[in-house]
Every structure is written in C-alpha cells, then in structure tokens.
Amino acid sequence: MIVEPKVWGFICTTAHPTGCAAHVREQIRAVRQTGGQSARGTKRALIIGASTGYGLAARITAAFGYGAETLGVFFEKPGRGARTASAGWYNAAAFAAEAEAAGLRHWSLNGDAFSDAARARAIEIILHDMGGPVDLVIYSLAAPARRMPDTGTLAQTALKPIGRAFRGRTIDTDRDCLTELVLEPASEQEISDTVVVMGGDDWARWMHALKDAGALAADATTVAFSYLGPEITRPIYRDGTIGRAKAHLEQTAAALRASGVDARIAVLKSIVTQASAAIPLIPLYLSLVFKVMKEQGLHEGALEQQQRLFRDFLYRADGAPATLDEAGRLRLDERELGENVQQACQTLWPGITDDTLMSLTDYAGYKQDFLRLFGFGFAGVDYAAEVETQITIAGCTNV
C-alpha cells in the first residue's frame, strides 16, 4: 500500500516502514562515524522502552557503539490489513535487521512493560539466552496509562498544573497557529495516578526483580531518563503532575542506591517525541528553544544526547566517575538551560504571534522532527511507491 502521513494534533495514525528504517540507519551511521568509543562500555544492556526516542537511541548506542548484546522491551502494534504498524514496531524491525547484518546479538520483547509477565520473560531471556547478567539497564518508559499488576486497576496520566489553573498559549498543530490554553488544576487522584504511571514504582519493580533473579551484574548501572525544563514550562512541567512524577523517580533512584543498586537519573534536553508532543505548551517552547540552540550551535537530538551520556558520563575513557549535580543526577540539559539560551528564549517568548511564529521560532523544524518520528520526510525514500506494511521483527517475543 502507499502510506501517507495522517496527522491529527499530536498524533500520527500512520507510519512508513521504509522511512522508519531510514531513520534507524541514519542513527547507526552517526554512531559508527563517531568511532573511538571507550572499551569500558556495556557488554549486555536491557533497554525498557526501546523502540522510539531516547530509548531507541540508547539501544543503538549500546549495540553499534559498544558492541553490546541488547534486550529491548517495548509495546508496539504490528501492521494489520489496511492499518500500518506503529512507528516503534518498524523501528524495532529495522534495528533487528541491522543488528543481524552486523553480527550483533539482540533480543526483543513486545508487551506491557508494566506487567509481571514481561519482567518474568525478560529475566528468562537474560538468564537463558544472553551471555550473562546485564550490566546496564536503561529505563525509558513514557505511557498514558498503567495497569497495576497487583490489583488490575488502571491508572491514567494527567498532564495538568497543580494548585491553580494555568492560562497560556500553545500551538494548534493542525492549523499552524497559536491558540489559548486553559488547564484546570489536577485533582489529588489525578496527581496520584500520574505518579503511579510516570514515577519510579515500576522502575524499582524491574530492578528488584532483576537483582533477586541473578539477572543483574554486581557492577551494573541503571539509568532512568528525566527532564526539568526552564521557567517558561515550569507551571505545566516541573510544578505540574508530571513534575511530581519525576520527583518520585528521583526518590526511587535514591532508594535503589540505598539497596545496593547503582541507580541514577539522567536529566536530558527537550526533543520532539510522541510523548512531548502531547504535553500542553511544550510544542511552542520546543519550537523556540530549537531555533535558539541551533543558532548558538548547541542543538542535540536523541542520538547525540545518548552518545554523550555513554561517552562522557557512564563510560569515560579515563575511568573517572561521572560528574553529578548536587542532587546526584547526570545533567545533559546544561546547554539547554544555559543562561545564554534561556535569556534568548525569555526575550523572544512574548513576541511570538501567529505572524511571527515562523520567523521567531523553528516551528518548521519542529514539524519536520515530528513527521520523522513516523518515518516521513527522509531523502531517498519514495513515498509515492507501494510498500509492504506487515513486517516481522527478527528475534522478537510477544508476551
């Protein structure tokens, strides 16, 4: 079938298999061209949330930068009938094909990462199929809801402010214009549910299960990804429900370290992801900060951030320990939150109107990055040609 982008707001309901494969290959080429990775890198890595964004970039970096065996866990939909698979499914299929061609050992697990069944199957793969316990666990889940394994109840994420209503602006991505945004404060239940979904409880369950089963190496490191953001996004992010969940993630890291697990939070810069596109206000801020950072030569995508995380923090060639901030976090957002970048953003922010949206921001770049998430907009891909949309993932187990 011929696949075209069908976008509604922050959702694209189609994905292009050839374009997604091109995106994966582009990232692999970038890792290989960088070269010179430290021999101290991971040998066996588990990536929870491995099919898109930062999780996919981490898996590519571990495998093609360090030659690691990887187990990727994700929850994606295959193509059926006239419906394409999800972008993450095509990404995982492309990663598997490239890993096979490169002689890299890999396993994939498609299922609800919040479930006990997924944890049990991942542990079985590590103990019986991989060459030994994993020495790196990347936790990169972003989900709208979580089915609790103990009770079966469903908790749902609410992207809202806390304490008082928020009034501001965001981008209507359907009409390419600004729109007024009014968000009422979250209820206590909504706050609690967001922490349940996006906080550290599931991360802790994974780490304790791996350790108890002997699937975690004695010197293993685990990293969960987070974001703080600037003053512009504070009401929605840092001081909102998702910020409360991220605070719980940090508390979980401290508790894991107290239990003997080397657990760290990596605070990353903002990028376009399927999750960030859904957060009110964030698309407008991303469009602005991308323009400023590109002009200052500081912009990074998911892959560049993961390469820097591995090279400069987790596996330094000189063997030195990673530099931490006062809260014990790995900070890769320092360029975004630098004074020069944020001062420029604060100066430009009030002047953004429908008439200045394209000139004062990089909204065009934001939209391009969004479409690339789903495999659209890649040079060399014939989007007018028919493509096979029902593709299998080599080495993938469903649970």
Side-chain angles (χ1 to χ4, degrees), residues 45-75:
L46 166 65
I47 300 91
I48 304 164
S51 56
T52 62
Y54 276 128
L56 174 62
R59 190 179 192 189
I60 289 171
T61 301
F64 292 91
Y66 295 86
E69 298 181 3
T70 61
L71 168 57
V73 180
F74 45 80
F75 199 12

Side-chain angles (χ1 to χ4, degrees), residues 46 48 115-116 118-124 126-127 134 137 201-216 256 261:
L46 166 65
I48 304 164
S115 69
D116 290 337
R119 273 188 289 275
R121 185 68 183 97
I123 289 170
E124 184 179 353
I126 293 168
L127 294 178
V134 293
V137 180
D201 177 71
D202 183 65
W203 183 28
R205 288 178 185 240
W206 270 96
M207 298 315 301
H208 290 311
L210 290 165
K211 186 178 180 182
D212 291 346
L216 191 67
L256 285 170
V261 176

